[in-house]
Amino acid sequence: MPVALPRIELGDITPHNIKQLKVLNQVVFPVTYNDKFYKDVLDVGELAKLAFSIDIVVGAVCCRTDMQEGQRKLYIMTLGCLGPYRRCGVGKKLLDHVMKIAKDDGQYDAIFLHVQISNDEALQFYNKFGFKIIDTKQEYYKRIEPADAYVLERSLKERQTGNRFIEIRNAIFTS
């Protein structure tokens, strides 16, 4: 008999539930985030969400907008869920939310994040969504081993550029 997946709802991060995000991050991630991180999360609106299953926080995503070399990118600072809820669609729901924001905005060139080089589960997860390793940051993490991180990125402009090329090529051949 198949196991029913829990229903997952996304909710805002507010001053009233920010401590739940802190606890979740302490359980899920091997790094500690400072108070400034949590203060900043309260100011990003839709770029930070909690995932709830029957009113229990089971996951979260926190992002920010970065400018790099003239490109506007969405940076996933954290995306994680409690172990028992992995492979239940929580991460997918959180990542789908982030990708929808980027798509609807239309001004992001890419989405990127850092993943510890030994985190095969995360690497496989992001690969399924079209993220590619574009760089390795030596000694990225402090006080955890391995300290190196991959930079993963999913370009958002390739399709638009490709479609634009087709439009231009068609206009040339039909003129």
Side-chain angles (χ1 to χ4, degrees):
M1 180 182 218
V3 177
L5 294 178
R7 182 174 175 169
I8 304 300
E9 300 290 334
L10 299 185
D12 294 337
I13 298 174
T14 69
H16 301 290
N17 63 22
I18 192 82
K19 286 183 181 175
Q20 290 178 295
L21 174 64
K22 285 183 183 183
V23 170
L24 178 88
N25 284 351
Q26 289 169 350
V27 170
V28 172
F29 299 111
V31 296
T32 303
Y33 294 92
N34 61 30
D35 289 339
K36 183 182 180 327
F37 171 88
Y38 294 102
K39 181 184 176 302
D40 292 347
V41 162
L42 289 171
D43 295 330
V44 297
E46 289 295 306
L47 295 179
K49 288 289 183 184
L50 292 174
F52 294 90
S53 176
I54 317 170
D55 296 330
I56 299 168
V57 174
V58 298
V61 63
C62 301
C63 304
R64 70 172 186 243
T65 300
D66 274 10
M67 290 299 292
Q68 293 183 349
E69 300 170 8
Q71 291 191 321
R72 185 171 183 245
K73 296 184 178 185
L74 189 61
Y75 177 57
I76 300 174
M77 299 183 290
T78 62
L79 188 154
C81 70
L82 296 174
Y85 291 85
R86 293 196 180 130
R87 302 197 190 289
C88 292
V90 178
K92 180 184 181 325
K93 184 146 190 156
L94 291 165
L95 189 56
D96 284 348
H97 173 76
V98 169
M99 293 193 319
K100 182 178 182 335
I101 287 174
K103 180 181 178 232
D104 290 351
D105 179 277
Q107 299 301 309
Y108 287 103
D109 295 292
I111 302 171
F112 77 108
L113 68 149
H114 293 88
V115 174
Q116 191 176 21
I117 62 169
S118 61
N119 191 342
D120 292 334
E121 190 176 5
L123 293 168
Q124 290 172 8
F125 172 78
Y126 288 108
N127 185 56
K128 286 191 288 189
F129 291 91
F131 285 79
K132 304 289 183 222
I133 296 171
I134 61 163
D135 196 7
T136 303
K137 297 290 185 183
Q138 305 294 322
E139 303 296 321
Y140 179 77
Y141 296 106
K142 312 288 186 262
R143 297 182 290 277
I144 63 171
E145 287 295 326
D148 300 344
Y150 290 126
V151 179
L152 275 61
E153 184 173 283
R154 177 178 170 171
S155 177
L156 300 174
K157 294 296 183 178
E158 286 177 348
R159 284 190 203 106
Q160 292 176 0
T161 303
N163 290 342
R164 183 73 184 132
F165 173 76
I166 291 168
E167 289 171 20
I168 291 169
R169 197 181 87 208
N170 287 344
I172 291 169
F173 288 119
T174 56
S175 299

